[in-house]
Amino acid sequence: MPAQQKKLIFCTAGVLSFACALGTAAAIGTQLWVRGTILCTTGALLVNATGPELHKFIGEIQYGLFSGQRVRQCGLGGRPFQFSFFPDLLKTIPASIHVSVIVFCTVLIVFALVGAGFFMFNAFGSPYETLHGPVGLYLWSFIACSCGCLIMILFSSEVKIHHLSEKIANFKEGTFTFKTHSEQFANSFWTILVCSLVHFLNALLIRFAGFEFPFSKSKDSGTITGAVDLMY
């Protein structure tokens, strides 16, 4: 492949990696990871609410990795409540999983920036072997993609398996009991998915530029090298 096309591919991959780093950093600070509705089961059972009456007992909830908000509906109108994971909910949520998600988000940002730097270096500099050459580009892309996948797996398990929304909804509630009515992942969660796909795409771009996958050598090159050694 001509050198100009390789530069264009590396520049594109570098810009994509940098955009993923910015997107992940922005996603960490938002409350747009999960959106849902919560049902006040205690209030609904007290008045035996059914059909349209049930909407008076359905509130809203949304949260991110550090904070969120909920609107509790128990038949008397909406009561908004702001909450923070640290330190308010630290004893209520699965803290080890939650902290791991934040750590992997940080690692994803770091390696996305590192990958962007090395892509630009290979586009405008003089690529050399070890971690600055194609092997390094594959490595940074693989680590960033793996971190993105781990973030989605851990956060999904925290929300779905450990019922994070219900734990948040019932935080500091002594009389009323809330149950998750509906929940869905919001924009920030899908941003992580897009970033993971972008890093996987970067690995394909490296291959498209003409570089073999790491640790793969053709048999022909080994045969030619052996013949040259025998000549000398």
Side-chain angles (χ1 to χ4, degrees):
M1 180 176 290
Q4 293 297 328
Q5 293 184 17
K6 288 185 178 181
K7 286 185 178 182
L8 179 61
I9 289 174
F10 285 140
C11 286
T12 303
V15 170
L16 289 175
S17 294
F18 185 74
C20 285
L22 293 181
T24 304
I28 291 177
T30 67
Q31 298 181 2
L32 300 177
W33 283 72
V34 174
R35 283 178 174 171
T37 56
I38 50 177
L39 172 64
C40 179
T41 56
T42 305
L45 289 173
L46 284 175
V47 300
N48 196 20
T50 57
E53 297 176 349
L54 200 61
H55 290 285
K56 297 180 180 179
F57 299 91
I58 296 178
E60 299 177 351
I61 186 172
Q62 72 174 29
Y63 54 90
L65 298 182
F66 293 97
S67 61
Q69 59 181 350
R70 74 185 189 198
V71 179
R72 59 195 299 272
Q73 293 271 11
C74 293
L76 299 174
R79 304 291 179 87
F81 175 74
Q82 299 282 340
F83 59 87
S84 176
F85 284 97
F86 304 99
D88 298 340
L89 290 165
L90 198 57
K91 296 182 179 179
T92 305
I93 64 173
S96 59
I97 298 178
H98 199 77
V99 172
S100 297
V101 172
I102 297 173
V103 170
F104 281 118
C105 283
T106 305
V107 175
L108 174 58
I109 294 172
V110 171
F111 279 98
L113 290 174
V114 170
F118 279 110
F119 274 117
M120 291 300 179
F121 178 84
N122 278 269
F124 298 104
S126 300
Y128 49 93
E129 295 301 324
T130 67
L131 298 182
H132 294 78
V135 176
L137 298 179
Y138 283 118
L139 179 63
W140 311 132
S141 299
F142 173 77
I143 293 176
C145 183
S146 300
C147 287
C149 294
L150 287 173
I151 291 168
M152 292 186 294
I153 292 171
L154 291 174
F155 190 75
S156 299
S157 66
E158 186 181 10
V159 173
K160 300 298 184 180
I161 299 177
H162 295 274
H163 307 289
L164 183 61
S165 298
E166 285 188 10
K167 291 180 178 179
I168 294 173
N170 290 285
F171 176 65
K172 289 186 177 181
E173 291 290 343
T175 305
F176 296 96
T177 302
F178 293 87
K179 185 178 181 180
T180 302
H181 187 260
S182 66
E183 64 181 1
Q184 59 274 344
F185 295 108
N187 298 340
S188 295
F189 179 84
W190 299 119
T191 299
I192 302 298
L193 174 61
V194 171
C195 289
S196 301
L197 295 177
V198 165
H199 290 296
F200 180 76
L201 175 63
N202 283 347
L204 296 181
L205 288 177
I206 302 169
R207 182 66 186 87
F208 183 72
F211 293 113
E212 296 290 341
F213 285 105
F215 313 115
S216 62
K217 294 182 179 180
S218 61
K219 294 181 179 180
D220 295 337
S221 61
T223 305
I224 295 173
T225 304
V228 172
D229 292 338
L230 288 175
M231 291 177 62
Y232 293 94

